[in-house]
Each structure stands twice: as C-alpha cells, then as structure tokens.
C-alpha cells in the first residue's frame, strides 16, 4: 500500500463513521432533528452512544495518524516495512471503528493498538531514514 492510498482510505473510514452516526441520529431522532438549530437534549441509546464515541475517537486519532500518513506521502517513503505499516494503520483504524460498534469490552483495543504501533513504526522509520 502506498501512503497516498492510506490517506484516501483513512478519509473513507472517517467519512463512513460520520455518515453512520448521522444516519442513525436521523433514524432515531426524526428527519427534522438535523434541521433544528436548537436541538433539544436527547437520550441516546447505548448503540447511539457507541457510534458517537467511535466517531469522536476517529477525529481524535487524526491528531497523530494523519501527520504521519501525510509525512510518509510527502517524503515518498517506500519499502516492504513501510507498506506493511501503512496497511496495519488503516486496517487497525477500520477494525477499531467496527469493533467499537459491537460494544464488546476491550475488543477495540486490538485495532487501536495496531494502528498506534503502525503509526509509531512509520514515524520512527521516517525520522531515522
């Protein structure tokens, strides 16, 4: 996988997580909910809370994943280790979001850890290479 492909896939994961959260909000709160400027406080279902938290975590992970992916793309980093790390980062973030939706305790840690370690590997590789 190239760094450019990883950036595109990361954006797709983020857009998909946001879309799922928005569609679920409309489905449970009604269509008018999205057009109201003064939205009332709503009680979210446990699944709705997981969707919101998965999206929030995806946004927060952007602070450390996106700069590494962008630096890898800008520097033209290549090689089997770089390609594997890029794949691990993207697969880890995708698995994290999907596993967060399930509500299984600690299951999402696997995806989070894989993406974090892949990002760390890329950062160290680019700094030392």
């Amino acid at each position: 996988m190239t760094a450019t492909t990883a950036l595109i896939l990361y954006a797709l994961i983020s857009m998909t997580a946001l879309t799922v959260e928005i569609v679920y909000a409309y489905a449970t709160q009604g269509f008018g909910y999205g057009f109201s400027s003064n939205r009332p406080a709503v009680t979210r279902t446990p699944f709705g809370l997981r969707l919101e938290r998965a999206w929030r975590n995806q946004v927060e992970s952007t602070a450390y994943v996106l700069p590494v992916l962008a630096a890898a793309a800008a520097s033209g980093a290549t090689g089997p280790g770089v390609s594997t790390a890029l794949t691990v980062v993207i697969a880890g973030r995708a698995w994290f979001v999907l596993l967060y939706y399930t509500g299984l305790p600690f299951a999402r840690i696997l995806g989070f850890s894989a993406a974090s370690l892949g990002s760390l590997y890329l950062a160290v590789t680019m700094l030392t290479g």
Side-chain angles (χ1 to χ4, degrees), residues 70-118:
S75 70
T78 58
V82 170
S83 180
T84 300
L86 290 166
T87 303
V88 167
V89 168
I90 296 306
R93 287 309 306 170
W95 274 109
F96 176 84
V97 171
L98 290 173
L99 290 172
Y100 210 123
Y101 292 168
T102 67
L104 296 173
F106 302 109
R108 64 184 183 263
I109 297 292
L110 299 173
F112 178 83
S113 298
S116 297
L117 291 173

Side-chain angles (χ1 to χ4, degrees), residues 23-127:
V23 168
Y24 186 79
Y26 280 130
T28 58
Q29 304 304 318
F31 191 70
Y33 176 78
F35 295 102
S36 174
S37 61
N38 295 320
R39 293 182 182 138
V42 296
T43 303
R44 293 190 185 244
T45 64
F47 183 66
L49 288 171
R50 287 194 306 273
L51 293 177
E52 179 184 352
R53 289 180 189 139
W55 163 245
R56 189 176 329 137
N57 188 278
Q58 183 68 10
V59 170
E60 292 167 356
S61 74
T62 300
Y64 65 91
V65 174
L66 194 59
V68 172
L69 295 179
S75 70
T78 58
V82 170
S83 180
T84 300
L86 290 166
T87 303
V88 167
V89 168
I90 296 306
R93 287 309 306 170
W95 274 109
F96 176 84
V97 171
L98 290 173
L99 290 172
Y100 210 123
Y101 292 168
T102 67
L104 296 173
F106 302 109
R108 64 184 183 263
I109 297 292
L110 299 173
F112 178 83
S113 298
S116 297
L117 291 173
S119 297
L120 181 62
Y121 175 84
L122 286 170
V124 169
T125 299
M126 287 185 294
L127 285 172

